[in-house]
Amino acid sequence: MSFSSDLKEELSKINNLNKKEEIKYELIGYLISKNASITKNSIRYATESEYNINRFSKLLKNLEINHNIEYDGKSFIIIFKIKECIKEIEIKNAEIIINNISNANENEKRALIRGTFLGAGSINNPEKTYHLEINLSNKNNLDFLLEILNNMNIKCKKLEQDKKYAIYLKEGEEISELIALLGASRSVLKFEDIRIQREMRGKVNRIVNCQTANLNKTINASVEQIDAIRKLQINNKFNKLEENLKEIALLRLEYPDMSLIELGKKLKNPLGKSGVNYRLKKLIQIAEEL
């Protein structure tokens, strides 16, 4: 299964069904998600996940809400009458709106967020890219969820485009914090393990790229220096050079891949990097003047 499916399976098995208030808020989360809608006098929720539909059904049973489960060959569908819905949900213009939950405590808000993710959330394979998204049914519900998450120090971004309303995260650390907030401890550990491995690979790649760039820079400079020295030899100007320039020139010809620091150590009177660089640039300057 995908990481997203594994996460939803873990969340669907959270053992808190004896806590009426928490499961009520989890149900609210489901109902404000994109996959819940109004059909005549009923509320309809559809999902392709068997774990998800089982969790949703258990929430309704524990709240004593009569419902039917159907299957249309692709999706599981739960339908129940609007009149049986909880008082915290209101129907306006055929849209599901949260009425008032100002007295909700932190655990109840966590349950609501968990419900929205189970209802219409997804997360990409973290081995490839970081992206977690929760789709909401309308702008009111989007702004409501965003405010709750911000108050819990989860700084999400929102998307409002072509009647799509969603919050999303693209930073690994923030996604990890949200998964932990949802209550999926096993998935947090798995996500963090993947994140650490990705960061280590990234560091190794950066080091290799940096070393490769430095090596290419050294090689290119060495080629230019050797070309200048050969030019001086061909034009019989080499023997007319000062002894210190001859010395560094012969060393460069003998050790074309050596760094400036290493070349400086091989001189009779050792020099630092800047001293060696000055002499080699002087050779190039003389060659260019020919």
Side-chain angles (χ1 to χ4, degrees), residues 48-270:
E48 294 182 11
S49 168
E50 188 172 352
Y51 292 110
N52 220 358
I53 209 70
N54 286 339
R55 178 71 176 186
F56 192 91
S57 179
K58 288 176 181 177
L59 299 179
L60 294 173
K61 284 179 182 176
N62 281 31
L63 294 169
E64 299 179 354
I65 297 175
N66 295 319
H67 59 280
N68 295 318
I69 300 178
E70 301 173 359
Y71 184 64
D72 66 359
K74 183 179 180 182
S75 299
F76 296 96
I77 300 166
I78 278 185
I79 299 175
F80 62 96
K81 296 295 182 180
I82 291 175
K83 64 182 181 180
E84 294 200 41
C85 195
I86 53 180
K87 64 182 181 180
E88 287 80 5
I89 288 296
E90 186 177 350
I91 309 301
K92 287 185 178 180
N93 300 321
E95 288 190 338
I96 300 172
I97 305 292
I98 293 178
N99 192 0
N100 180 19
I101 63 162
S102 57
N103 295 324
N105 61 38
E106 185 169 321
N107 285 337
E108 289 162 355
K109 289 177 180 177
R110 286 170 181 257
L112 186 148
I113 298 166
R114 182 165 60 246
T116 61
F117 182 81
L118 283 166
S122 63
I123 181 172
N124 285 23
N125 180 355
E127 293 181 0
K128 297 181 179 179
T129 184
Y130 296 135
H131 185 90
L132 183 147
E133 184 172 304
I134 300 175
N135 289 279
L136 289 307
S137 56
N138 56 60
K139 186 179 187 307
N140 287 333
N141 294 334
L142 168 65
D143 292 338
F144 176 83
L145 180 63
L146 194 64
E147 183 180 357
I148 290 180
L149 288 166
N150 284 337
N151 290 337
M152 290 185 157
N153 294 317
I154 305 291
K155 304 303 179 184
C156 300
K157 295 180 180 179
K158 67 177 181 178
L159 174 66
E160 297 179 55
Q161 184 178 350
D162 298 329
K163 294 185 178 180
K164 178 177 181 178
Y165 305 97
I167 64 104
Y168 65 93
L169 293 168
K170 286 185 173 292
E171 297 295 330
E173 184 174 351
E174 292 173 344
I175 292 174
S176 181
E177 289 175 0
L178 180 54
I179 296 173
L181 185 146
L182 295 176
S185 55
R186 189 178 72 243
S187 293
V188 171
L189 293 175
K190 183 178 179 181
F191 185 88
E192 281 299 300
D193 184 50
I194 293 171
R195 192 161 76 95
I196 290 169
Q197 290 183 40
R198 276 191 64 180
E199 288 182 359
M200 288 300 297
R201 286 197 298 268
K203 287 180 181 178
V204 170
N205 288 336
R206 285 193 293 273
I207 291 170
V208 170
N209 290 338
C210 183
Q211 290 176 337
T212 301
N214 289 336
L215 179 60
N216 289 336
K217 185 178 178 181
T218 300
I219 291 171
N220 291 336
S222 178
V223 169
E224 184 183 12
Q225 294 154 8
I226 291 171
D227 285 345
I229 295 165
R230 296 294 188 201
K231 186 175 181 181
L232 293 171
Q233 290 176 329
I234 292 170
N235 287 276
N236 298 317
K237 298 293 184 180
F238 187 83
N239 291 328
K240 296 178 182 180
L241 295 172
E242 297 175 10
E243 289 302 317
N244 61 354
L245 295 180
K246 285 183 186 178
E247 183 185 13
I248 196 67
L250 291 172
L251 281 172
R252 173 48 86 203
L253 292 176
E254 186 176 358
Y255 303 104
D257 298 331
M258 191 169 280
S259 69
L260 299 184
I261 294 174
E262 292 171 319
L263 282 177
K265 291 178 181 179
K266 287 188 172 293
L267 293 169
K268 291 178 182 177
N269 296 311

Side-chain angles (χ1 to χ4, degrees), residues 24-38:
K24 180 173 69 175
Y25 281 94
E26 188 174 323
L27 175 62
I28 292 171
Y30 270 98
L31 294 177
I32 66 172
S33 74
K34 181 184 177 182
N35 291 335
S37 59
I38 304 298

